[in-house]
Amino acid sequence: MKFTTFALFAAAATVATVSAETKVWKITDLSSGERSNLCGRQIQTCQNNCGGPKEAPMAFCNSTTMAWGCGCSKKTPDFETWNWPVPAADCAGSNGACQANCNAGSSSDRNACFASCSSTHKCNTEDAPVSYTTTKDIDSTPQYVGPAVSYKGDKLDDLNDGNDRDNTESSSEDGEDGKDADASDDDKSDPPSAGSTFKPVAFAMVATILSGFAL
């Protein structure tokens, strides 16, 4: 009986510890099926916006890394970046982690915590946090985590999604390889070309937002 009581106590303590762990959001933690479906919608959205598959030479999405991009042959994609399927899902997932971490906190602070989540995760709007998932090509690895800033360029409070952004502001200015928000001036003006009139979207937009945010 003593052993059973001790075992039950230990199990309860383990559950309590697990429930209090910080939820860390990363879009690649979605199931393979969810990632494949999301990439399918991302590519289709790009193709539709460009005017069809033949007009979207740079419509790509890597279902393993969730790197994505969209470039049309005859126009600049005019779909707002925060409404693309991958960035929208990234925002929703970050918000879900934020809410979960509120539940793991003290009960007296939960209401304020939930309100903060809603304030910093206005998904599908220009006030949504920037998603660091865009890349120049399908084989590049996204940055994933960067400064908490909206597409409008406003600095946001802590997103509370388990990711450490304290040191991302300086690293985003260092021009590291494979980082969508770290593009140099040459990267912004001369992206991988798929045609003489190819015009990319999102990659340069995120770089522009961060360059203004750093000033």
Side-chain angles (χ1 to χ4, degrees):
M1 177 65 71
K2 290 183 178 180
F3 176 78
T4 301
T5 302
F6 176 79
L8 290 174
F9 176 80
T14 300
V15 171
T17 300
V18 171
S19 64
E21 288 181 351
T22 299
K23 174 73 173 178
V24 180
W25 165 250
K26 192 172 184 181
I27 196 167
T28 52
D29 288 338
L30 293 173
S31 70
S32 60
E34 289 173 317
R35 285 184 273 115
S36 293
N37 179 273
L38 187 55
C39 268
R41 291 192 290 114
Q42 177 64 49
I43 292 172
Q44 184 176 39
T45 301
C46 176
Q47 291 175 340
N48 290 342
N49 190 264
C50 290
K54 293 182 179 180
E55 305 299 333
M58 284 296 286
F60 68 85
C61 184
N62 186 323
S63 62
T64 298
T65 65
M66 297 312 296
W68 72 275
C70 179
C72 305
S73 60
K74 297 180 179 178
K75 58 173 279 191
T76 299
D78 50 16
F79 204 67
E80 301 292 4
T81 306
W82 49 86
N83 280 327
W84 292 98
V86 172
D90 199 20
C91 179
S94 175
N95 185 43
C98 185
Q99 301 280 347
N101 290 329
C102 288
N103 279 321
S106 62
S107 58
S108 61
D109 297 330
R110 283 178 186 168
N111 288 338
C113 187
F114 291 140
S116 179
C117 290
S118 298
S119 175
T120 56
H121 293 85
K122 297 179 179 179
C123 303
N124 296 102
T125 75
E126 64 178 350
D127 294 310
V130 169
S131 172
Y132 297 90
T133 48
T134 54
T135 60
K136 292 183 294 182
D137 58 71
I138 195 169
D139 295 320
S140 294
T141 301
Q143 181 174 335
Y144 296 119
V145 179
V149 57
S150 73
Y151 288 99
K152 193 164 60 177
D154 294 335
K155 184 177 180 180
L156 301 174
D157 293 332
D158 182 15
L159 299 184
N160 194 31
D161 62 0
N163 289 295
D164 182 10
R165 292 179 171 79
D166 290 341
N167 299 316
T168 55
E169 182 176 346
S170 59
S171 66
S172 69
E173 301 167 13
D174 294 337
E176 297 174 15
D177 292 337
K179 305 300 177 76
D180 63 326
D182 300 341
S184 66
D185 290 338
D186 289 340
D187 291 331
K188 297 172 193 174
S189 60
D190 188 22
S193 178
S196 59
T197 55
F198 165 65
K199 296 179 180 178
V201 72
F203 179 88
M205 178 182 181
V206 172
T208 300
I209 291 171
L210 289 183
S211 64
F213 172 67
L215 294 177

